[in-house]
Amino acid sequence: MLLKAMNWMDVERYLQQDDRIVIITGACEQHGYVSLLSDILAPLEIAKQACRQENVLIAPPLPFGISPYFAAYPGTLSLRPETFAVLLREIIEGLMAQGFKRVLVSNGHGGNTGILIPLLVEIGNAHPQARLALFQWWLHPTVDAIAQEAGLPQHHANWSENFTFTRVGAVPDADKELVVVPRGVSAAITRSLLGDGSYGGPYQAADQIMERFFAAAVQAMVGAIREL
Amino acid sequence: MLLKAMNWMDVERYLQQDDRIVIITGACEQHGYVSLLSDILAPLEIAKQACRQENVLIAPPLPFGISPYFAAYPGTLSLRPETFAVLLREIIEGLMAQGFKRVLVSNGHGGNTGILIPLLVEIGNAHPQARLALFQWWLHPTVDAIAQEAGLPQHHANWSENFTFTRVGAVPDADKELVVVPRGVSAAITRSLLGDGSYGGPYQAADQIMERFFAAAVQAMVGAIREL
Amino acid sequence: MLLKAMNWMDVERYLQQDDRIVIITGACEQHGYVSLLSDILAPLEIAKQACRQENVLIAPPLPFGISPYFAAYPGTLSLRPETFAVLLREIIEGLMAQGFKRVLVSNGHGGNTGILIPLLVEIGNAHPQARLALFQWWLHPTVDAIAQEAGLPQHHANWSENFTFTRVGAVPDADKELVVVPRGVSAAITRSLLGDGSYGGPYQAADQIMERFFAAAVQAMVGAIREL
Amino acid sequence: MLLKAMNWMDVERYLQQDDRIVIITGACEQHGYVSLLSDILAPLEIAKQACRQENVLIAPPLPFGISPYFAAYPGTLSLRPETFAVLLREIIEGLMAQGFKRVLVSNGHGGNTGILIPLLVEIGNAHPQARLALFQWWLHPTVDAIAQEAGLPQHHANWSENFTFTRVGAVPDADKELVVVPRGVSAAITRSLLGDGSYGGPYQAADQIMERFFAAAVQAMVGAIREL
Amino acid sequence: MLLKAMNWMDVERYLQQDDRIVIITGACEQHGYVSLLSDILAPLEIAKQACRQENVLIAPPLPFGISPYFAAYPGTLSLRPETFAVLLREIIEGLMAQGFKRVLVSNGHGGNTGILIPLLVEIGNAHPQARLALFQWWLHPTVDAIAQEAGLPQHHANWSENFTFTRVGAVPDADKELVVVPRGVSAAITRSLLGDGSYGGPYQAADQIMERFFAAAVQAMVGAIREL
Amino acid sequence: MLLKAMNWMDVERYLQQDDRIVIITGACEQHGYVSLLSDILAPLEIAKQACRQENVLIAPPLPFGISPYFAAYPGTLSLRPETFAVLLREIIEGLMAQGFKRVLVSNGHGGNTGILIPLLVEIGNAHPQARLALFQWWLHPTVDAIAQEAGLPQHHANWSENFTFTRVGAVPDADKELVVVPRGVSAAITRSLLGDGSYGGPYQAADQIMERFFAAAVQAMVGAIREL
């Protein structure tokens, strides 16, 4: 149910019997050894499965988010928070003008959350008939429970973002000690503290953990779609 | 060390031997039974004590933040995230042009955090010689520890925001059951779920707990100032 | 009737029988020997008295205005005119959405006037049922008459801004010769011409003059509120 | 010395020996019985003479200003203050990048003043080598003196804007009583108070007064150019 | 039918029986040997004749357009595309609020086209009762046919912009070889490639060709007005 | 050479020996019977081959462009021109800060061209050391020559956009008569004129034509990359 696999007539037919759409946001930013687009690839793969199951449309993912902290890592592309806000506002308002009434934003990047929440609320305040919600797969209790049970806390660019579809090369065997980066420090300081970009912990987990982890995320998203 | 108690000559003298300043952000929004300005009053009272101790300047608090979720409660005044971002950017850039190099933003409202972090990072990226940091009193481990020890979890508009200086009338005796408001829902839905505005728990705590709680916040802020 | 002394329930009750609110704007800028916040403190103290008398709400003052001319004086914090405009627009539109229909902007800083007037007109054009007005205490004929009678022309940072509540230290005894600063010149030139920041005249006036001056301002504001 | 009568080679030659330019701002707004463009035509005619005398370039006048108060009069076209600010900022920054260092803004519309002043100051603060100034012909003491001597106070759309080059038809013989329009009221209220658009006084003056009035404005502008 | 020759009463009478207006956009940019304002002068002279014939109002031309490519030629003044968009948006929305329903934008500068089209569409989408259209004289088939028949291709700043009313001095006799400037290159590169600013071909054409060329443009515009 | 298949270390290594990057822009808009994302898919597939050959990085495509004309077709998502401009500006400026000096924007949507050109010029003006260029595959002479030779003019949503990778279902056999849509008309009028969304001509071409067409586009892009 990706827009890229549809023409407008398909969307018109869809709107005759449904009014839901999923918008994927994320980032193009350093993720240590895994893909720069991990924050798009993860919610996209999850959404593909969840939305196929629930027959829901997926808008083209916006591949840029708010990532100034990682600007010193080449390949990180960051928008100003105000630009991200205006862009999302126009996309969502445009969807509503076409008849979409229930919008689930599936966000893959924690740095976007603080803008997305007020944005969704403002749009909801202006469109009382709309239903807008935010889904963030990695924070969902049933997803995090898999990590907890396995004794593997989630951290940026550690095992929890290392899926078959985000992997772009080998990762170190040894675990990395946890790194604490004070909030608000510059990109240069962040890089000097973080080194390879991971916040610590193992760089990968067993395949079966990743499968359960991913499956839990899909199920959590199915739930979020049904609650729309 | 409030700017309102100083003239420009005082600031010029200060800048000859110091380059630190505290900026207070918060919100004008419903806080159940306590003051609409609680998110300003708390960081301001804490800052007054911490900054007196450390001899640091405090800029005039910005009394408006990002609060669209509470727009259905009269007296809540909310800025768009992009407006909040631009305003803070200009204030901080202006301070840097005058010689302030170390800026501690003491934010009293969780809804501002997601904008403040990228903003501070962006300004830091543009001013490599500057040191910017974010302090949020209620999230500091030593402050939250007081709440945990007392068995009193912090929630919006419960006991944890009910200080002598935020109290504007009587509060209910009974505890309120915790309320869960999904992130991103409209102001109307938020109000229908929240009722009086508190997210639950006791509406007040014993004076001695509040005193320890406040003292811990002051000490945490002193620490944050020293680390600048 | 300050919002900081109220909770949202108080405002809801107020709105059941009234629809007026006072918004205070000013500046954080050099005022020679008196407080950097004089342009907020004066309209705030005046509003406290006038609004208590007339039972009218006062929104939290915005402590930043348009003051690029004084940027070379440390402690002056200035917003771009476009930022000031957008911020005020959002605050006033937000108040109108909550039921406030009559808005009196009490502005304490001449540099804001040229933005406030078109802003109020534009908001009024978009809300035909609203009543918006601008009050500027020091320009009111009955207030200026006190100055004229006393033979004491008002100038920036001279006696006319030296109240008990703006005083932060001693002022020179001797009068200052009037200084003319061409409009539009840079902050550096302005400082080189102005020196201590006062535009000239006596630095202070007798207490009884200040009391009559202040009382006239309160009465003028009461009149402006009644005309809303 | 109008840009429209020059090609770029002429400007390049000019810049080899001069760095001054005049920017004309005004409004397209109701002026009672006289031209909607009076606020452009007057400073333009004055500038043509003054700049011919002083050999100074004139940029193409911006024919739109800040006029929301007159929006209820057909033919009035108004910009938001923030749009006017951004536009002027770009034009002046562009001129500076080409080598113009001394810029005289000759503004024909009082409603623009409050934006132009901070704008010029901000640009001056960012370009310490530049010299920016604001000229407003009708406020110049030697110009207003002609009006005072003739016992003819200047008011919007009265005799003082009725030149041969702004006249577009007949005007009433009788004087109009002065009208007071409160600052900040909506366009609809403004029109209901103002009627024909003039703020009062005679609609025209004797030709010889207009000639002296105009000549004084030219001379005042020559002075302003020389002081740049 | 220029606004500068009318007062608001004239416009009000006009609106009682018509709802059309022409907006002229162009540029202030290098045109080789001819006027910097050629892109305004040409559509303005054409509009004067076409609109006199059709009794249609002409708003004051906006003399600044999008011309960053020519910024290295002194006298070129360029707006950012976003500023140009916002300004036009406000002007057209303002006209619609006064009762103008049919708006013909006569644009004289190719660099504006890519913004004007989406802008007109967006305004049309928001005002279903409005009729907006874009007219660009030099691209009209009947106008270009004159050039083709005469064996004189149109290029920036060649004969096709050299009218009696844009001529500001002598032009070279010899034809210039055509110059190709890659799209998107900087102003410095553009100037180094273009030299005198013309894109090539003859610098002037016989008077009778120019007269037929101009007459065709007037007729084309008359047609565009009638189709509104 | 897609960023999604790389981590930041890969990009850092790349930047040690290269400074080129391709940015893909397009649209999410109706394309008749073919994919809503055709304007992204075509330049992306072309870029994949051209960039593999030339070893050049490809940034994540921005899947939203300027498409207000097609807003009445469900699935079309359009940005305001000013939003598109600001977003691209930030992305390109960010790349330059990381060491990319040569940027080729490969744009797949004609509606973006008018913004992209001034944007690239402005960025080039501010970064004299940079080389920015615009590539638009379908307009390249060697590409269009294939269409001309085959007697198949290119039009929106006809055969020329019907590749194996944009096809999402069956298309009509018969050719469509050419449709002319006046520039600047609203989305509703556009849809009423266009019907199925194609501007006319055959809906598909023989496979071997499409292969030559695509191959020519790849070769044209290789040329554009080499000229950077």
Side-chain angles (χ1 to χ4, degrees):
Chain A
M1 305 292 280
L2 293 169
L3 276 194
K4 81 172 170 184
M6 301 171 80
N7 61 31
W8 71 265
M9 298 127 177
D10 298 327
V11 179
E12 189 155 84
R13 272 189 296 272
Y14 175 89
L15 277 168
Q16 281 155 8
Q17 53 195 30
D18 208 333
D19 60 5
R20 296 171 302 168
I21 193 157
V22 163
I23 294 176
I24 293 172
T25 56
C28 179
E29 66 171 26
Q30 78 83 3
H31 273 81
Y33 293 90
V34 299
S35 166
L36 283 155
L37 269 290
S38 294
D39 281 355
I40 290 295
L41 295 172
L44 180 57
E45 291 306 309
I46 293 162
K48 278 184 190 168
Q49 297 217 6
C51 292
R52 187 179 313 125
Q53 197 174 319
E54 298 298 307
N55 293 309
V56 173
L57 270 196
I58 305 174
L62 171 67
F64 308 111
I66 302 169
S67 313
Y69 3 89
F70 294 150
Y73 289 97
T76 298
L77 294 178
S78 179
L79 298 179
R80 288 192 156 194
E82 47 267 48
T83 304
F84 183 83
V86 171
L87 186 139
L88 259 291
R89 214 185 279 280
E90 291 182 13
I91 293 300
I92 297 177
E93 298 277 0
L95 288 167
M96 294 205 161
Q98 291 182 352
F100 291 96
K101 288 203 180 65
R102 288 177 288 165
V103 176
L104 183 68
V105 176
S106 177
N107 174 46
H109 171 50
N112 298 340
T113 315
I115 305 285
L116 284 169
I117 291 172
L119 203 64
L120 294 182
V121 175
E122 286 174 1
I123 297 173
N125 289 353
H127 298 271
Q129 81 295 351
R131 303 255 300 267
L132 300 120
L134 179 65
F135 176 70
Q136 306 195 120
W137 70 270
W138 76 100
L139 297 175
H140 197 275
T142 61
V143 176
D144 194 50
I146 312 279
Q148 300 297 339
E149 286 162 24
L152 292 168
Q154 300 185 63
H155 291 291
H156 177 81
N158 76 0
W159 70 271
S160 61
E161 312 210 56
N162 187 345
F163 293 98
T164 52
F165 51 79
T166 57
R167 213 164 289 154
V168 297
V171 300
D173 286 332
D175 290 11
K176 181 176 178 180
E177 218 167 319
L178 290 187
V179 184
V180 175
V181 181
R183 295 186 132 188
V185 299
S186 75
I189 296 174
T190 300
R191 183 165 173 181
S192 74
L193 293 171
L194 265 189
D196 69 11
S198 164
Y199 275 65
Y203 288 94
Q204 59 190 337
D207 285 358
Q208 68 198 56
I209 290 175
M210 294 315 288
E211 281 157 23
R212 286 177 53 216
F213 195 55
F214 181 78
V218 172
Q219 272 325 102
M221 189 172 184
V222 166
I225 290 170
R226 291 186 180 163
E227 278 168 25
L228 258 193
Chain B
M1 303 292 279
L2 294 169
L3 277 194
K4 80 173 169 183
M6 300 171 81
N7 61 30
W8 71 265
M9 299 128 178
D10 298 327
V11 179
E12 190 156 83
R13 272 188 297 272
Y14 175 89
L15 277 168
Q16 281 156 9
Q17 53 196 30
D18 209 333
D19 60 5
R20 296 171 301 168
I21 193 158
V22 164
I23 294 177
I24 293 171
T25 56
C28 178
E29 66 171 28
Q30 77 84 3
H31 273 80
Y33 293 90
V34 299
S35 167
L36 284 156
L37 268 292
S38 295
D39 281 356
I40 289 295
L41 294 172
L44 180 58
E45 290 306 310
I46 293 163
K48 277 183 190 168
Q49 298 216 5
C51 291
R52 188 179 311 126
Q53 195 172 321
E54 298 298 307
N55 291 310
V56 174
L57 269 196
I58 305 174
L62 171 67
F64 309 110
I66 303 169
S67 312
Y69 3 90
F70 294 150
Y73 289 96
T76 298
L77 293 178
S78 178
L79 298 179
R80 288 191 155 195
E82 49 266 48
T83 304
F84 183 82
V86 171
L87 185 138
L88 260 290
R89 214 185 279 281
E90 292 182 13
I91 293 299
I92 297 178
E93 297 277 1
L95 287 167
M96 294 205 162
Q98 290 183 351
F100 291 96
K101 288 203 180 65
R102 290 178 287 165
V103 175
L104 184 67
V105 175
S106 177
N107 174 45
H109 171 51
N112 298 340
T113 316
I115 304 285
L116 283 170
I117 292 173
L119 201 65
L120 294 182
V121 175
E122 286 174 0
I123 297 173
N125 289 352
H127 298 272
Q129 81 296 351
R131 304 255 301 267
L132 299 118
L134 179 64
F135 176 70
Q136 306 195 119
W137 70 270
W138 75 101
L139 298 176
H140 197 275
T142 59
V143 176
D144 194 48
I146 311 279
Q148 300 298 338
E149 284 161 26
L152 292 168
Q154 300 185 63
H155 292 291
H156 177 82
N158 75 359
W159 70 271
S160 62
E161 311 209 58
N162 186 344
F163 292 98
T164 51
F165 50 79
T166 58
R167 213 165 287 154
V168 297
V171 300
D173 286 332
D175 289 11
K176 181 176 179 180
E177 219 168 318
L178 289 187
V179 184
V180 175
V181 181
R183 293 187 133 188
V185 299
S186 74
I189 296 173
T190 300
R191 182 164 173 180
S192 74
L193 293 170
L194 264 190
D196 69 11
S198 165
Y199 276 65
Y203 288 94
Q204 59 190 339
D207 285 357
Q208 69 199 56
I209 290 175
M210 294 315 288
E211 280 157 23
R212 286 178 52 216
F213 195 54
F214 181 79
V218 171
Q219 272 324 102
M221 187 170 185
V222 165
I225 290 171
R226 290 186 181 164
E227 278 167 26
L228 257 192
Chain C
M1 303 293 278
L2 293 169
L3 277 194
K4 81 173 170 184
M6 300 171 81
N7 62 32
W8 70 265
M9 298 128 178
D10 298 327
V11 179
E12 190 156 84
R13 273 189 295 272
Y14 175 90
L15 277 167
Q16 280 156 8
Q17 53 196 29
D18 208 333
D19 60 5
R20 296 171 300 168
I21 192 158
V22 164
I23 294 177
I24 292 171
T25 56
C28 178
E29 66 171 26
Q30 77 84 5
H31 273 80
Y33 292 90
V34 298
S35 168
L36 284 155
L37 268 292
S38 294
D39 281 356
I40 289 294
L41 295 172
L44 180 57
E45 291 306 309
I46 293 163
K48 277 184 189 168
Q49 297 217 5
C51 291
R52 186 179 313 125
Q53 195 173 321
E54 298 298 305
N55 292 310
V56 173
L57 271 197
I58 304 174
L62 171 67
F64 309 110
I66 303 169
S67 312
Y69 3 89
F70 295 149
Y73 288 97
T76 298
L77 293 178
S78 179
L79 298 179
R80 288 192 156 195
E82 49 267 48
T83 304
F84 183 82
V86 171
L87 186 139
L88 260 289
R89 215 185 278 282
E90 292 183 11
I91 293 300
I92 297 178
E93 297 277 2
L95 287 167
M96 295 205 160
Q98 290 182 352
F100 291 95
K101 289 203 179 65
R102 289 177 287 165
V103 176
L104 183 67
V105 176
S106 177
N107 174 45
H109 172 51
N112 298 340
T113 316
I115 304 284
L116 284 170
I117 291 173
L119 202 65
L120 294 182
V121 175
E122 286 174 0
I123 297 172
N125 289 353
H127 298 271
Q129 81 295 351
R131 304 253 301 266
L132 299 119
L134 180 64
F135 175 70
Q136 306 195 121
W137 69 270
W138 75 101
L139 298 175
H140 197 275
T142 59
V143 176
D144 194 47
I146 311 279
Q148 300 298 339
E149 285 161 25
L152 292 169
Q154 300 185 63
H155 291 293
H156 177 80
N158 76 359
W159 69 271
S160 61
E161 312 210 57
N162 187 346
F163 293 97
T164 51
F165 50 78
T166 58
R167 213 165 288 154
V168 297
V171 300
D173 285 332
D175 290 10
K176 182 177 179 180
E177 218 168 319
L178 289 187
V179 184
V180 174
V181 181
R183 295 186 131 188
V185 300
S186 74
I189 296 173
T190 300
R191 182 163 173 181
S192 74
L193 293 170
L194 264 191
D196 69 10
S198 165
Y199 276 64
Y203 288 94
Q204 59 190 338
D207 285 357
Q208 68 199 57
I209 291 175
M210 294 316 289
E211 280 156 24
R212 285 177 52 217
F213 195 54
F214 181 79
V218 172
Q219 273 324 102
M221 188 171 184
V222 165
I225 290 170
R226 290 186 181 162
E227 277 168 26
L228 258 192
Chain D
M1 305 293 279
L2 294 168
L3 277 194
K4 80 172 170 183
M6 301 171 81
N7 60 31
W8 71 266
M9 298 128 177
D10 298 327
V11 179
E12 190 156 84
R13 272 189 296 272
Y14 176 89
L15 277 168
Q16 280 155 9
Q17 54 196 29
D18 208 333
D19 60 4
R20 296 171 300 167
I21 193 157
V22 163
I23 294 177
I24 292 172
T25 56
C28 179
E29 66 172 26
Q30 77 84 3
H31 274 80
Y33 293 90
V34 299
S35 167
L36 284 155
L37 268 292
S38 295
D39 281 355
I40 289 294
L41 295 172
L44 180 57
E45 291 306 310
I46 292 162
K48 277 183 191 168
Q49 297 217 7
C51 291
R52 187 179 313 127
Q53 196 173 319
E54 298 298 307
N55 293 310
V56 174
L57 271 195
I58 304 174
L62 171 67
F64 309 111
I66 302 169
S67 312
Y69 4 88
F70 294 150
Y73 288 96
T76 298
L77 293 178
S78 179
L79 298 179
R80 288 191 157 196
E82 48 266 48
T83 304
F84 183 83
V86 171
L87 186 138
L88 260 289
R89 214 185 279 281
E90 291 183 12
I91 292 300
I92 297 178
E93 297 277 1
L95 287 167
M96 295 206 161
Q98 291 183 352
F100 292 96
K101 289 204 180 64
R102 289 177 286 165
V103 176
L104 184 67
V105 176
S106 178
N107 174 45
H109 171 52
N112 298 340
T113 315
I115 305 285
L116 284 170
I117 291 172
L119 203 64
L120 294 182
V121 175
E122 286 174 1
I123 297 172
N125 289 353
H127 299 270
Q129 81 295 351
R131 303 255 300 266
L132 300 119
L134 179 64
F135 176 70
Q136 306 196 120
W137 69 270
W138 76 101
L139 297 176
H140 196 276
T142 60
V143 176
D144 195 48
I146 312 280
Q148 300 297 339
E149 285 162 25
L152 293 168
Q154 301 184 65
H155 292 291
H156 177 80
N158 75 359
W159 70 271
S160 62
E161 311 210 57
N162 187 345
F163 293 98
T164 52
F165 50 79
T166 57
R167 213 164 289 155
V168 296
V171 299
D173 286 331
D175 290 11
K176 180 176 179 180
E177 219 167 320
L178 290 187
V179 184
V180 175
V181 181
R183 295 186 131 189
V185 299
S186 74
I189 296 173
T190 300
R191 182 165 173 180
S192 73
L193 293 170
L194 264 190
D196 69 10
S198 164
Y199 276 64
Y203 289 94
Q204 59 190 338
D207 285 358
Q208 69 199 58
I209 290 175
M210 293 316 288
E211 280 157 23
R212 286 176 53 216
F213 195 55
F214 181 78
V218 171
Q219 271 324 102
M221 188 171 183
V222 165
I225 291 170
R226 291 186 181 163
E227 278 168 27
L228 258 192
Chain E
M1 304 291 279
L2 294 169
L3 276 194
K4 80 173 169 184
M6 301 172 79
N7 61 31
W8 71 265
M9 299 128 178
D10 298 326
V11 180
E12 189 156 84
R13 272 188 297 272
Y14 175 90
L15 276 168
Q16 280 156 8
Q17 54 196 26
D18 208 333
D19 59 5
R20 296 172 301 168
I21 193 159
V22 164
I23 293 177
I24 292 172
T25 56
C28 178
E29 66 171 26
Q30 77 83 4
H31 273 80
Y33 293 90
V34 299
S35 166
L36 284 156
L37 269 291
S38 295
D39 281 357
I40 289 295
L41 295 173
L44 180 57
E45 290 307 309
I46 293 163
K48 277 184 190 167
Q49 296 216 8
C51 291
R52 187 179 314 126
Q53 198 174 316
E54 298 298 307
N55 292 311
V56 173
L57 270 197
I58 304 173
L62 171 67
F64 309 110
I66 302 169
S67 312
Y69 4 90
F70 294 151
Y73 289 97
T76 298
L77 293 179
S78 179
L79 298 179
R80 290 192 153 194
E82 49 266 47
T83 304
F84 183 82
V86 170
L87 186 139
L88 260 290
R89 214 185 278 281
E90 292 182 12
I91 293 300
I92 297 178
E93 296 277 2
L95 287 166
M96 295 207 160
Q98 291 182 351
F100 291 96
K101 289 205 180 63
R102 289 178 287 165
V103 176
L104 184 67
V105 175
S106 178
N107 175 44
H109 171 52
N112 298 341
T113 315
I115 305 284
L116 283 170
I117 292 172
L119 202 65
L120 294 182
V121 175
E122 286 174 0
I123 297 172
N125 289 353
H127 298 271
Q129 81 295 352
R131 304 256 299 269
L132 299 119
L134 180 65
F135 175 70
Q136 305 195 121
W137 69 270
W138 76 101
L139 297 176
H140 197 275
T142 60
V143 176
D144 194 48
I146 311 279
Q148 300 297 339
E149 285 162 25
L152 292 169
Q154 301 185 63
H155 291 292
H156 178 80
N158 75 0
W159 69 270
S160 62
E161 311 211 57
N162 187 344
F163 294 98
T164 51
F165 51 79
T166 57
R167 213 165 288 155
V168 297
V171 300
D173 285 333
D175 290 11
K176 180 176 179 180
E177 219 168 318
L178 289 187
V179 183
V180 175
V181 181
R183 295 187 132 189
V185 300
S186 75
I189 296 174
T190 300
R191 183 165 173 180
S192 73
L193 293 169
L194 265 190
D196 70 10
S198 165
Y199 276 64
Y203 288 95
Q204 58 190 338
D207 285 359
Q208 68 199 57
I209 290 175
M210 294 315 289
E211 280 157 23
R212 286 177 51 217
F213 195 55
F214 182 78
V218 171
Q219 272 325 103
M221 189 171 183
V222 165
I225 290 171
R226 290 186 181 162
E227 278 167 26
L228 257 193
Chain F
M1 305 292 278
L2 294 169
L3 277 194
K4 80 172 169 185
M6 301 171 80
N7 61 32
W8 71 265
M9 298 128 178
D10 299 326
V11 180
E12 189 156 84
R13 273 189 295 273
Y14 175 89
L15 277 168
Q16 280 155 9
Q17 53 196 28
D18 209 333
D19 60 5
R20 296 171 301 168
I21 193 159
V22 164
I23 294 176
I24 293 173
T25 55
C28 178
E29 66 172 27
Q30 78 83 3
H31 274 80
Y33 293 90
V34 299
S35 166
L36 284 155
L37 268 292
S38 295
D39 281 356
I40 289 295
L41 295 173
L44 180 58
E45 291 306 310
I46 293 162
K48 277 184 190 168
Q49 297 216 6
C51 291
R52 187 180 313 126
Q53 197 173 318
E54 298 298 307
N55 293 309
V56 173
L57 270 196
I58 305 174
L62 171 67
F64 309 110
I66 302 169
S67 312
Y69 3 89
F70 295 151
Y73 288 98
T76 298
L77 293 178
S78 179
L79 297 180
R80 289 191 155 195
E82 49 267 48
T83 305
F84 183 82
V86 171
L87 186 139
L88 260 290
R89 214 186 278 280
E90 291 183 12
I91 293 299
I92 298 177
E93 297 277 1
L95 288 166
M96 296 206 160
Q98 291 183 352
F100 292 96
K101 289 204 180 63
R102 289 177 288 165
V103 176
L104 184 67
V105 176
S106 178
N107 175 44
H109 171 52
N112 298 341
T113 315
I115 305 284
L116 283 170
I117 292 172
L119 202 64
L120 294 182
V121 176
E122 286 174 0
I123 297 173
N125 289 352
H127 298 271
Q129 83 294 351
R131 303 255 301 268
L132 299 121
L134 179 65
F135 175 70
Q136 306 195 120
W137 69 271
W138 76 101
L139 297 176
H140 197 274
T142 61
V143 176
D144 194 48
I146 313 279
Q148 300 297 340
E149 285 162 25
L152 292 168
Q154 301 185 63
H155 292 291
H156 177 82
N158 76 359
W159 69 270
S160 62
E161 311 210 59
N162 187 345
F163 294 97
T164 51
F165 51 78
T166 58
R167 212 164 289 153
V168 297
V171 300
D173 285 332
D175 289 10
K176 180 176 179 180
E177 217 167 320
L178 290 188
V179 184
V180 175
V181 181
R183 294 186 133 189
V185 300
S186 74
I189 296 173
T190 300
R191 183 166 173 179
S192 73
L193 293 170
L194 264 190
D196 70 10
S198 166
Y199 276 65
Y203 288 94
Q204 59 191 337
D207 285 358
Q208 68 199 56
I209 290 176
M210 293 316 288
E211 281 156 22
R212 286 178 52 219
F213 194 55
F214 181 78
V218 171
Q219 274 323 105
M221 188 171 184
V222 165
I225 291 170
R226 290 185 182 164
E227 278 168 26
L228 258 192

